[in-house]
Amino acid sequence: MALLEPSVLANTIMSKLYNVLTNGDDTVPKSDDNFFSWCTPGIPIEPSDLEYLTQGLTGVVKKSAVDAMQPSAAAAAAAAGGTPPPPPPAPPLTPEQLNGLMAQDTMRLYMQAENMARLLDFVPDVAAGTNDQFAKMAVQNNDGTLSDVYDYTLRMSQVMKVDLPPETVAQIERLNGLLTKTVKTKDIISGDETESSGPSDLVTAYFAKMKAYNDAALEYNARKIDALTATNSRAVHDFANNANTYRNNVRAAMTDWETAGHKLDYEKIAAFFEGVGRRDMSLLKQQYVEDLEKARLTSPVSGSDFFFTSLVPGSFATSNGWTRFGFSAGDYESHSNSSYKWSQSSGGGGFSFWGFGASGSHSVSSSHSEYHGTFDNSHVDMTFEIAQIPIARPWFRTAFLTSHYWRFDQNNVVVKGDRLSDGGSPPNGKLPAYATSAIFVRKLSLKFGESHGFSDFVNNANSQSTSAGGSFSFGPFFVGGSGSHRSGSGDTARDYGFKFENNTMSIDGMQLIGFKCHVMPQSPNPSADIPADAWI
């Protein structure tokens, strides 16, 4: 039997967890993303907080919301202690009420998307062993969020312009002539003739026929939606009797677009220009700028912008495919000599191995204390389910950041010396690393046999955190108390409990405990073969 301080045990548990997450073999290669930024402590997240991942951002009318607006007579009588009479049928909700419920649900989904986007929009502090920024949601070096740094990079960068072969240049000029034409106009004041460039007849026909097709398609869709959501029988009869006519109008418009609108010819030309653009970094950079703008959304609550970010698959919170993780006394013997060290926070309000704080808020200063008792390791047993969930950012293109064909604008004295990463160990810069996966755990269970030190701590911590409205934790694991969620509209606090029976602590809920990160190589790292006059 050995008596261990919680810090020693935490290091050993994290050593095994680190090996599970990073080690590989001939079948599964070792992960290149081997830096972890741990939450301090874990962030409790309900599956209902992630419904936007599967439902999207369009609200629906839910039965619970309808029931809340239509309390039955039976429920009212039961609440008053009487015998409920047979309830009369509830009157249907009006279209205005249904639209209101859909709007409320849409607002909820946008708030979820904003909350998660802001939670995942960070730059991990690779140089700090504690990664305490996740307890306070701060950003390393005050350089901004991940999206801030990426946007800054696109705006302040120069890229290599490629000299295309002469035959390609000639082909570009010929095809440009098919898309534009020179128009002579006379100045009404001076009478001088001037030449200007305008769309060719091919382009004019293409867009005119495209509009006609879109009009026919919109008409068909509108009539179909009217029938599916009809409040009168006329819309249903109309689509039932005229659907083929609407459908034929769409087909005829497509045929007209393909022939008189030169649809195939125009799109072949567009495909040629796209292929050329992928060899020219200036055009590729413009595409990345457009992708960033396409992902920009505005919060209906805070009014500020955020960039849509998701977790894949969206249904992970309710799925059964989680991995079971276990740590027992035998694992302590195997991992106790690991070089992995879990560093504790040196500042107040940070993380402790077994600790409890007086406040769970991000914005309120909090006191924090650490438990220094000892536990018997001969009966230690910790189990939980764990899942690594990839972070999907459709607006974040790392291929650009790691290419050798860009640099910060050397004509701008303010930015010419900037670096995303100097490639050092540890790296320094505006973007030394970025998170690639979020690590979630659930169904956590922890026991120490008949250790009185463990039961004494739990009883003491439970009473203190309950009275102070705070929380307590073990390593990166949130154990119980008050957890908070940050959004553009402020912090929302919830109370999360645990069960403690037979010297076993059980926490069933899901929590985000950290992030698996990719450490950036030197960036920018422009090729020395690019001539000075090739940068634009």
Side-chain angles (χ1 to χ4, degrees), residues 55-130:
Q55 185 176 331
L57 298 177
T58 301
V60 297
V61 178
K62 297 188 175 181
K63 183 178 184 301
S64 58
V66 174
D67 292 342
M69 295 186 68
Q70 293 180 326
S72 65
T83 301
L93 297 181
T94 65
E96 291 78 10
Q97 290 175 315
L98 292 173
N99 289 335
L101 292 177
M102 290 182 64
Q104 291 176 13
D105 197 48
T106 300
M107 177 75 74
R108 180 182 64 88
L109 295 170
Y110 268 93
M111 291 179 66
Q112 289 184 0
E114 180 189 8
N115 290 345
M116 187 54 63
R118 298 197 188 285
L119 180 63
L120 301 177
D121 191 9
F122 69 93
V123 177
D125 190 354
V126 180
T130 61

Side-chain angles (χ1 to χ4, degrees), residues 480-500:
S482 177
S484 62
H485 297 257
R486 167 156 287 188
S487 70
S489 57
D491 294 335
T492 301
R494 295 175 183 167
D495 289 329
Y496 298 87
F498 65 90
K499 292 184 292 185
F500 185 64

Side-chain angles (χ1 to χ4, degrees), residues 179-372:
L179 299 179
T180 61
K181 67 179 180 180
T182 301
V183 180
K184 293 184 178 181
T185 58
K186 180 177 291 188
D187 190 292
I188 61 174
I189 297 177
S190 65
D192 297 334
E193 279 194 346
T194 59
E195 292 185 351
S196 61
S197 179
S200 68
D201 294 339
L202 182 148
V203 174
T204 302
Y206 175 86
F207 284 103
K209 298 304 180 181
M210 181 180 70
K211 180 182 182 303
Y213 169 80
N214 288 339
D215 290 343
L218 286 173
E219 178 71 12
Y220 173 80
N221 289 334
R223 300 291 76 80
K224 180 180 179 180
I225 292 172
D226 287 345
L228 291 173
T229 60
T231 56
N232 59 74
S233 58
R234 179 180 178 83
V236 178
H237 287 309
D238 175 59
F239 191 76
N241 288 278
N242 299 318
N244 284 332
T245 301
Y246 296 133
R247 206 173 284 122
N248 289 336
N249 288 342
V250 175
R251 292 169 180 161
M254 174 57 76
T255 301
D256 194 35
W257 188 11
E258 291 175 340
T259 54
H262 308 285
K263 181 176 185 292
L264 299 180
D265 294 332
Y266 181 90
E267 291 176 356
K268 285 180 181 178
I269 296 173
F272 170 81
F273 282 119
E274 181 179 359
V276 172
R278 293 188 182 279
R279 286 179 280 164
D280 188 334
M281 283 294 293
S282 62
L283 298 180
L284 196 60
K285 174 184 169 180
Q286 182 58 36
Q287 177 185 327
Y288 294 158
V289 171
E290 292 174 0
D291 289 342
L292 181 65
E293 288 305 311
K294 289 176 185 176
R296 187 190 299 271
L297 297 173
T298 301
S299 167
V301 178
S302 66
S304 58
D305 292 344
F306 64 94
F307 295 92
F308 184 84
T309 304
S310 62
L311 298 166
V312 182
S315 60
F316 77 91
T318 56
S319 69
N320 296 321
W322 290 52
T323 301
R324 190 75 175 172
F325 178 92
F327 184 92
S328 62
D331 290 308
Y332 173 78
E333 301 300 330
S334 301
H335 296 274
S336 59
N337 294 323
S338 170
S339 60
Y340 184 91
K341 293 298 180 184
W342 175 271
S343 300
Q344 60 180 319
S345 172
S346 59
F351 163 77
S352 62
F353 296 104
W354 264 119
F356 45 91
S359 176
S361 171
H362 293 295
S363 59
V364 179
S365 61
S366 58
S367 61
H368 210 90
S369 58
E370 183 178 348
Y371 183 73
H372 291 283

